[in-house]
mmCIF file of all heavy atoms in Angstrom:
data_model
loop_
_atom_site.group_PDB
_atom_site.id
_atom_site.type_symbol
_atom_site.label_atom_id
_atom_site.label_comp_id
_atom_site.label_asym_id
_atom_site.label_seq_id
_atom_site.Cartn_x
_atom_site.Cartn_y
_atom_site.Cartn_z
ATOM 1 N N PHE A 445 37.039 -1.138 16.144
ATOM 2 C CA PHE A 445 38.188 -1.337 16.824
ATOM 3 C C PHE A 445 38.183 -2.733 17.678
ATOM 4 O O PHE A 445 37.137 -3.207 18.070
ATOM 5 C CB PHE A 445 38.426 -0.229 17.916
ATOM 6 C CG PHE A 445 39.044 0.989 17.396
ATOM 7 C CD1 PHE A 445 38.130 2.086 17.227
ATOM 8 C CD2 PHE A 445 40.332 1.123 17.289
ATOM 9 C CE1 PHE A 445 38.677 3.311 16.823
ATOM 10 C CE2 PHE A 445 40.863 2.276 16.877
ATOM 11 C CZ PHE A 445 40.024 3.480 16.553
ATOM 12 N N SER A 446 39.442 -3.263 17.643
ATOM 13 C CA SER A 446 39.621 -4.458 18.658
ATOM 14 C C SER A 446 39.379 -3.962 20.075
ATOM 15 O O SER A 446 39.483 -2.735 20.357
ATOM 16 C CB SER A 446 40.871 -5.096 18.424
ATOM 17 O OG SER A 446 41.987 -4.237 18.614
ATOM 18 N N LEU A 447 39.209 -4.896 20.999
ATOM 19 C CA LEU A 447 38.992 -4.393 22.345
ATOM 20 C C LEU A 447 40.166 -3.734 22.903
ATOM 21 O O LEU A 447 40.077 -2.775 23.703
ATOM 22 C CB LEU A 447 38.644 -5.646 23.213
ATOM 23 C CG LEU A 447 38.253 -5.359 24.674
ATOM 24 C CD1 LEU A 447 37.140 -4.498 24.722
ATOM 25 C CD2 LEU A 447 38.089 -6.586 25.439
ATOM 26 N N ASP A 448 41.437 -4.094 22.480
ATOM 27 C CA ASP A 448 42.641 -3.499 23.132
ATOM 28 C C ASP A 448 42.992 -2.129 22.192
ATOM 29 O O ASP A 448 43.987 -1.515 22.653
ATOM 30 C CB ASP A 448 43.833 -4.403 23.029
ATOM 31 C CG ASP A 448 44.243 -4.971 21.623
ATOM 32 O OD1 ASP A 448 43.644 -4.404 20.622
ATOM 33 O OD2 ASP A 448 45.088 -5.839 21.503
ATOM 34 N N GLY A 449 42.264 -1.896 21.214
ATOM 35 C CA GLY A 449 42.493 -0.651 20.513
ATOM 36 C C GLY A 449 43.630 -0.604 19.497
ATOM 37 O O GLY A 449 43.887 0.350 18.885
ATOM 38 N N ALA A 450 44.394 -1.744 19.414
ATOM 39 C CA ALA A 450 45.575 -1.831 18.662
ATOM 40 C C ALA A 450 45.245 -2.129 17.167
ATOM 41 O O ALA A 450 46.131 -1.768 16.270
ATOM 42 C CB ALA A 450 46.434 -2.828 19.172
ATOM 43 N N THR A 451 44.016 -2.710 16.937
ATOM 44 C CA THR A 451 43.754 -3.099 15.476
ATOM 45 C C THR A 451 42.370 -2.574 15.197
ATOM 46 O O THR A 451 41.509 -2.494 15.932
ATOM 47 C CB THR A 451 43.829 -4.624 15.369
ATOM 48 O OG1 THR A 451 44.967 -5.221 15.894
ATOM 49 C CG2 THR A 451 43.503 -5.163 13.961
ATOM 50 N N LEU A 452 42.393 -2.154 13.859
ATOM 51 C CA LEU A 452 41.106 -1.669 13.229
ATOM 52 C C LEU A 452 40.720 -2.648 12.135
ATOM 53 O O LEU A 452 41.601 -2.932 11.295
ATOM 54 C CB LEU A 452 41.208 -0.352 12.913
ATOM 55 C CG LEU A 452 39.839 0.351 12.420
ATOM 56 C CD1 LEU A 452 39.038 0.821 13.555
ATOM 57 C CD2 LEU A 452 40.143 1.604 11.447
ATOM 58 N N VAL A 453 39.368 -3.068 11.976
ATOM 59 C CA VAL A 453 39.046 -3.851 10.864
ATOM 60 C C VAL A 453 38.114 -2.957 9.927
ATOM 61 O O VAL A 453 37.345 -2.166 10.638
ATOM 62 C CB VAL A 453 38.239 -5.106 11.371
ATOM 63 C CG1 VAL A 453 37.094 -4.750 12.188
ATOM 64 C CG2 VAL A 453 37.965 -6.028 10.143
ATOM 65 N N SER A 454 38.154 -3.249 8.699
ATOM 66 C CA SER A 454 37.374 -2.379 7.857
ATOM 67 C C SER A 454 36.646 -3.282 6.739
ATOM 68 O O SER A 454 37.187 -4.299 6.245
ATOM 69 C CB SER A 454 38.147 -1.236 7.162
ATOM 70 O OG SER A 454 39.228 -1.761 6.375
ATOM 71 N N GLY A 455 35.455 -2.975 6.392
ATOM 72 C CA GLY A 455 34.752 -3.656 5.332
ATOM 73 C C GLY A 455 34.348 -2.679 4.152
ATOM 74 O O GLY A 455 34.014 -1.695 4.465
ATOM 75 N N SER A 456 34.457 -3.142 2.975
ATOM 76 C CA SER A 456 34.387 -2.211 1.859
ATOM 77 C C SER A 456 33.476 -2.740 0.656
ATOM 78 O O SER A 456 33.323 -3.996 0.516
ATOM 79 C CB SER A 456 35.712 -1.830 1.359
ATOM 80 O OG SER A 456 35.736 -1.215 0.092
#
Side-chain angles (χ1 to χ4, degrees):
F445 278 102
S446 60
L447 187 61
D448 62 9
T451 305
L452 187 78
V453 62
S454 60
S456 167

